[in-house]
């Protein structure tokens, strides 16, 4: 599993989010990176903006644990401002 798919699973594990996002075929609209053309709104798009390894006094990568600092951007799209804010509020609460 990748971070992006784990994040999508985390978000879709919340009924407040799944009840607000559209479906695209059999998929709920939580997309990593870019929203596919033709997919509906409301939806969530997640983007890892940057990442850097955790460095401590013992050196980089915290003894091989693979820890990283992530700058994550989550965009919520909907047909109205109020619907986008409601979706963003649900996402923020889940995080």
């Amino acid at each position: 599993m990748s971070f992006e798919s784990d994040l999508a699973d985390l978000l879709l594990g919340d009924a407040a989010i799944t009840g607000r996002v559209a479906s695209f075929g059999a998929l709920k609209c939580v997309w990593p990176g870019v929203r596919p053309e033709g997919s509906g709104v409301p939806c969530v798009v997640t983007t890892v903006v940057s990442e850097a390894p955790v460095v401590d006094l013992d050196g980089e990568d915290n003894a091989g644990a693979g820890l990283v600092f992530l700058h994550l951007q989550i965009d919520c799209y909907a047909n109205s401002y109020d619907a986008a804010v409601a979706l963003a509020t649900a996402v923020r609460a889940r995080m």
Side-chain angles (χ1 to χ4, degrees):
M1 287 229 145
S2 69
F3 172 78
E4 289 84 359
S5 63
D6 289 344
L7 178 59
D9 289 345
L10 174 77
L11 295 175
L12 291 171
D14 188 329
I17 295 171
T18 56
R20 286 185 168 85
V21 295
S23 295
F24 186 58
L27 302 173
K28 284 293 195 174
C29 293
V30 175
W31 308 111
V34 118
R35 182 173 69 95
E37 190 172 327
S39 63
V41 292
C43 69
V44 176
V45 178
T46 62
T47 306
V48 175
V49 176
S50 66
E51 58 183 84
V54 172
V55 179
D56 61 17
L57 295 175
D58 293 334
E60 190 174 300
D61 197 15
N62 203 13
L67 300 175
V68 294
F69 287 111
L70 287 178
H71 181 155
L72 179 65
Q73 177 176 316
I74 300 177
D75 299 306
C76 297
Y77 299 95
N79 289 323
S80 73
Y81 176 78
D82 290 339
V85 168
L87 179 55
T89 300
V91 168
R92 195 173 297 116
R94 181 67 171 169
M95 298 300 291

